[in-house]
Amino acid sequence: MSVGGSYDCITKTPLGDQKGVLTVIPGDGDSFTGNITGDLGSMDIRDGRISGNTLSWQMKMTMPMPMDLDCTATVEGDVITGKVKAGMFGTMDLTGTRRA
């Protein structure tokens, strides 16, 4: 099954649970593009890579403060689980399910 699609996600942050929709658009080879959109706005995926059912990518957060995020996630069926590394705030859990 393709890792592409849209996922309703929750990231456990120091500011509480942040809901968002992660969109994964597979590209050529092992690359992908997309974004995550939520209450704090939208962030584009940069340097998206696919290895089997594992995704890795970066995002540049601007709200509530500028920060580079390093992300990894695994897709199993319609479930995505992963980690978001947010500088001095450490690593946060990301979970979600594919939208129908």
Side-chain angles (χ1 to χ4, degrees), residues 10-19 92:
I10 296 176
T11 304
K12 302 276 188 189
T13 77
L15 301 174
D17 291 357
Q18 297 296 314
K19 294 180 182 178
M92 303 172 286

Side-chain angles (χ1 to χ4, degrees), residues 37-97:
T37 303
D39 293 338
L40 297 177
S42 180
M43 291 182 284
D44 289 333
I45 289 172
R46 297 182 303 154
D47 301 323
R49 296 279 171 241
I50 302 169
S51 177
N53 64 338
T54 300
L55 307 173
S56 61
W57 71 98
Q58 286 81 44
M59 296 184 293
K60 185 171 280 298
M61 183 173 79
T62 57
M63 294 291 290
M65 67 183 65
M67 185 178 307
D68 289 329
L69 305 176
D70 290 312
C71 311
T72 59
T74 302
V75 177
E76 293 183 8
D78 290 331
V79 175
I80 188 168
T81 56
K83 302 282 185 184
V84 178
K85 187 175 178 184
M88 65 185 173
F89 292 103
T91 302
M92 303 172 286
D93 290 331
L94 169 104
T95 58
T97 54

